[in-house]
Structures are given as C-alpha cells and as structure tokens.
C-alpha cells in the first residue's frame, strides 16, 4: 500500500527508529479514531525497521478478559531468553504466561520481568515492539506494558502503541495524534480507487463528509450503488457516526454473500486467534464446503493464508453483529469443539459459554475452573469475568 500524506507522522516514526539504532529507547502512543490510519502507520514503521527485531501484539476485543493474552503474543518469540532473567522475575513471567504453576505473582515483578526480557533481547539487536489495537488490550497486559513503557531508558527498545482511545494505562506517554488526511491526499486516495471518474463536486463532498478518514474514503463509496454515487446522495446519513456508517457499508456487502460464505465469515469473526486450522475445522463441523464457501470470493473482506485476517477490524465487528444469535451460538460451539482442552482450556470454556443459550451447569463449572487458573496467573480481571459468566450460566 502506498501511504499518502503523513509526512509529520512518518518523520516521528523515523526518529523513533533512528533513536533505537543509536542505543536509546523510545515510546510512542499513536492514537486516533477508527479507520484513521494507525495500523497503516505501524506497518510503515515495521517497513522502516531494517536491522531491528520486530515483535508484535494486538489487543483483541473478545479477549479483553483473558489475562496476559497480549503479553503472551509479544513475549512468545523471546521465551528462549527466560533463563537469563533473575530467578524471581523468571518465575513471575512464567507463571503469568501459564508455563509454570505457582502463586499469583506481584504485578510489579511481572512488569520488571518483561522489561528485563526486552532488554536482554535488545542486546542481540535493537527492538521494535508494535502493539496495535491497544484499546482492546487485556488489563493485565496493559498494566505490564505501561510499566515497561515508563521505565525504558537506554535499552535500544522502541515501544509503539496504536489505540483508538487514550487509554488510562498509556496516559502521560509521548503521543502522536492521527487525524484525517488533508484534502489533497484524500482526493489522491479517492482517485487511486476503481470508482474514480466521480464528478468533482461529488468527490469534494465525499472528502468533506468523511473528514479525510482513509477507511471511509476507501470503503464508503464501495457500499453505494452507482446511482447513489452519481447523485451524491445517501453517502453519509446525518446523525450516524462515521465508524457506524463504515460498518453499515460492510454489512450491506456481507448481505450479498451466500449463507455458507456468511457462516465462514462468522466463524472467522468469533475466532480470535486467526488460526486457519481452527477455522476450517469449525467450518467442517458446521457442514461448510470450503470450495463452495469461497467460490464467489469475499469481496476482499476476508483473507485466509497462514493467518485469517479481516480487511479491517470494523469488518469483524460488522460480521459478528450481523450474525443471528442462534448462528453465533452454533459457531462458538463448533469452535469450542475444535479447541484442544489440554492446550487452551480457557478459550474453549469461553467459546462454550458464548454457545450456551441458557443456564448450563457443566459450562458454568468449566468457567469456574478457568477462573481458578486465571487467578493463579494473577489475572484478577479475567478471573472475575469467568466467574461472572459462570454465575450467569448457573440456574
Ligand atoms: N495515509 C494513507 N494513505 C492511503 N491509505 C491509507 C492511509 N492510511 C490508511 N489508509 C488505508 O485506510 C484503511 C484504514 O486504515 P487503518 O486500518 O490503518 O486504520 P486504523 O486507524 O488502524 O483503524 P482501526 O482503529 O479501526 O484499527 C486501510 O485500508 C489503509 O490501507
Ligand atoms: Mg488498526
């Protein structure tokens, strides 16, 4: 993708990376509304990070209650460095990552252990850690990363967050606010799309009404009929929020798909790991024929390769919302059935809970066990969430 505009933002990211190359550490919180271009900027930063080791994590809306889920993603590739940590720190981190049993460790110790781990890794090569969708970080990870961000000094570590909202955990850290594209860049973006050839007056209106939000510029005109576009009508409905309207445009496109395709999208929306094996296993349980489901394509809304990815997070939420409750429950049940209880008992319990139509003692008991495990890892918020669901499912 060709990034339009964003000179100031790219320069800030370039400075961050340059600083890390010279042995300093940097933190940057990139924030702005949905679709404004935060992930695109993180991608830019990754593209510029030659010679740096890049670690990634992203908050996942449906996993906000799974303690340390994001930390798991970020630190996963560094586990071989754990033996270099002081014993207490190592034990703390291993406990919260579920690698060993033990009493819930002190929060401070977990933060310190992550700091040490990143610092160890940076001795091998400078590090760029990108944490996308920070508004959906589970609280335990957010706290640990906030701790790290406030204590980085000269480790050659850059920690770059992208978030829709100013998260309490990130307040006070250096910020980079992202707003819509300037008019010239917004026009250039519209021109680069297939529905070019729009009247100047209509393009002006689209640019003005979307306030240069690139996602809206790319997606909104696609959801409209040629007549609507030609008339410049119905582009934006007064009173609806921009993200709401982008979502609606995705919904209109999803409505065109066959049942099989829609169900496949719904499975992908309900499966937070983006694991194609899980996706297809669940699809098979629901009687979906892969060839048929993908025959008509997905209008570029879903990509399935080594990972399952939506075109944009708003597609995921649109798909999930659009799913009738009964279909959603069936999908969660299928996902629970294909999730290995030995490897991922908590996620399985979570899916089973989402699949339950009414009180279910067995699922409630499973959630209670998950709560116990979460508590042992020091995930109090997760434990509370599991228990709350468990109570809801108890007669
Ligand atoms: N500067 C840009 N030039 C061209 N296209 C862009 C630019 N910024 C973003 N886009 C495109 O706009 C769309 C939305 O951008 P992006 O996904 O980065 O938004 P976001 O801020 O991360 O949204 P969210 O908060 O929902 O995650 C993407 O398709 C992206 O490729
Ligand atoms: Mg994003």
């Amino acid at each position: 993708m060709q990034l339009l505009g964003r000179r100031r933002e790219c320069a800030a990211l370039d400075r961050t990376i340059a600083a890390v190359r010279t042995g300093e550490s940097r933190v940057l919180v990139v924030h702005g509304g949905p679709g404004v271009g935060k992930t695109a900027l993180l991608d830019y930063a990754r593209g510029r990070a030659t010679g740096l080791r890049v670690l990634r994590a992203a908050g996942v809306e449906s996993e906000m209650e799974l303690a340390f889920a994001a930390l798991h993603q970020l630190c996963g590739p560094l586990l071989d460095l754990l033996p270099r940590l002081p014993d207490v720190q190592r034990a703390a981190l291993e406990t919260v990552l579920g690698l060993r049993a033990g009493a819930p460790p002190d929060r401070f110790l977990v933060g310190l252990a992550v700091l040490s781990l990143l610092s160890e890794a940076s001795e091998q090569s400078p590090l760029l850690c990108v944490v996308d969708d920070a508004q959906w970080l589970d609280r335990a990870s957010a706290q640990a990363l906030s701790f790290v961000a406030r204590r980085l000094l000269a480790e050659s570590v850059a920690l770059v967050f992208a978030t829709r909202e100013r998260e309490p955990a990130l307040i006070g850290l250096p910020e980079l606010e992202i707003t819509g594209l300037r008019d010239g860049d917004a026009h250039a973006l519209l021109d680069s799309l297939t529905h070019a050839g729009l009247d100047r007056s209509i393009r002006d209106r689209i640019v003005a009404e979307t306030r240069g939000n690139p996602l809206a510029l790319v997606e909104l005109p696609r959801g409209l009929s040629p007549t609507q576009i030609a008339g410049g009508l119905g582009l934006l409905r007064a009173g609806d929020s921009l993200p709401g309207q982008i979502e609606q445009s995705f919904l209109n496109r999803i409505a065109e798909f066959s049942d099989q395709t829609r169900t496949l999208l719904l499975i992908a929306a309900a499966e937070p790991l983006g694991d194609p094996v899980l996706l297809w296993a669940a699809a098979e349980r629901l009687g979906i024929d892969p060839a048929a489901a993908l025959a008509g394509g997905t209008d570029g809304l879903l990509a399935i390769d080594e990972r399952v990815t939506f075109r944009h997070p708003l597609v995921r939420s649109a798909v999930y919302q659009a799913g009738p409750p009964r279909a959603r429950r069936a999908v969660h049940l299928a996902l629970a059935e294909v999730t290995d209880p030995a490897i991922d008992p908590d996620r399985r319990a979570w899916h089973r809970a989402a699949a339950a139509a009414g009180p279910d003692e067995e699922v409630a008991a499973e959630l209670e066990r998950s709560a116990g495990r979460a508590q042992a890892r020091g995930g109090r918020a997760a434990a509370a969430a599991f228990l709350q669901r468990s109570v809801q499912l108890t007669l």
Side-chain angles (χ1 to χ4, degrees), residues 187 189-191 193-207 217 220-222 224-232 235:
H187 277 285
L189 181 55
L190 266 186
D191 288 343
L193 305 169
T194 43
H195 42 70
L198 295 174
D199 277 6
R200 175 78 202 189
S201 64
I202 293 170
R203 284 195 301 152
D204 284 346
R205 193 167 153 199
I206 296 179
V207 168
L217 288 166
L220 280 184
R222 294 188 55 159
L224 298 172
S225 70
T227 356
Q228 277 174 315
I229 291 183
L235 181 63

Side-chain angles (χ1 to χ4, degrees), residues 119-138:
S119 152
E120 281 294 338
S122 72
E123 299 206 340
Q124 299 169 342
S125 86
L127 278 190
L128 170 63
C129 306
V130 288
V131 181
D132 202 356
D133 299 319
Q135 72 276 0
W136 292 325
L137 284 179
D138 63 274

Side-chain angles (χ1 to χ4, degrees), residues 35 38-40 132-133 162 164 312-313:
K38 301 177 298 296
T39 300
D132 202 356
D133 299 319
R164 287 183 182 170
H312 193 269

Side-chain angles (χ1 to χ4, degrees), residues 74-265:
L74 195 76
C75 299
L78 303 181
L79 297 184
D80 58 319
L81 297 175
L82 282 170
R84 299 204 194 166
L85 263 51
D87 283 347
V88 272
Q89 292 183 26
R90 176 181 182 179
L93 197 52
E94 286 182 346
T95 309
V96 302
L97 296 179
L99 300 173
R100 76 155 79 180
D106 179 63
R107 287 294 159 111
F108 176 78
L109 212 49
V110 176
L112 205 58
V114 177
L115 185 61
S116 304
L117 191 68
L118 295 180
S119 152
E120 281 294 338
S122 72
E123 299 206 340
Q124 299 169 342
S125 86
L127 278 190
L128 170 63
C129 306
V130 288
V131 181
D132 202 356
D133 299 319
Q135 72 276 0
W136 292 325
L137 284 179
D138 63 274
R139 216 165 73 200
S141 296
Q143 280 176 352
L145 291 172
S146 166
F147 177 97
V148 170
R150 289 167 211 283
R151 283 165 186 81
L152 283 171
L153 288 168
E155 295 85 356
S156 287
V157 177
L159 187 49
V160 181
F161 298 91
T163 178
R164 287 183 182 170
E165 288 126 38
R166 284 194 170 85
E167 291 305 302
L170 304 179
I171 281 176
L173 297 170
E175 294 186 345
L176 179 66
E177 186 181 3
I178 315 298
T179 54
L181 297 174
R182 291 164 196 230
D183 282 4
D185 297 318
H187 277 285
L189 181 55
L190 266 186
D191 288 343
S192 71
L193 305 169
T194 43
H195 42 70
L198 295 174
D199 277 6
R200 175 78 202 189
S201 64
I202 293 170
R203 284 195 301 152
D204 284 346
R205 193 167 153 199
I206 296 179
V207 168
E209 291 193 359
T210 57
R211 292 186 297 283
N213 180 298
L215 185 70
L217 288 166
V218 175
E219 301 297 340
L220 280 184
R222 294 188 55 159
L224 298 172
S225 70
T227 356
Q228 277 174 315
I229 291 183
L233 292 171
L235 181 63
L236 287 183
R237 285 168 308 279
D240 288 1
S241 71
L242 195 57
Q245 306 211 23
I246 303 173
E247 234 168 35
Q248 185 58 47
S249 124
F250 286 136
L251 283 174
N252 297 344
R253 283 149 68 186
I254 295 160
E256 306 282 312
F257 295 153
S258 72
D259 283 349
Q260 292 232 347
T261 311
R262 267 207 304 274
T263 308
L264 188 68
L265 261 77

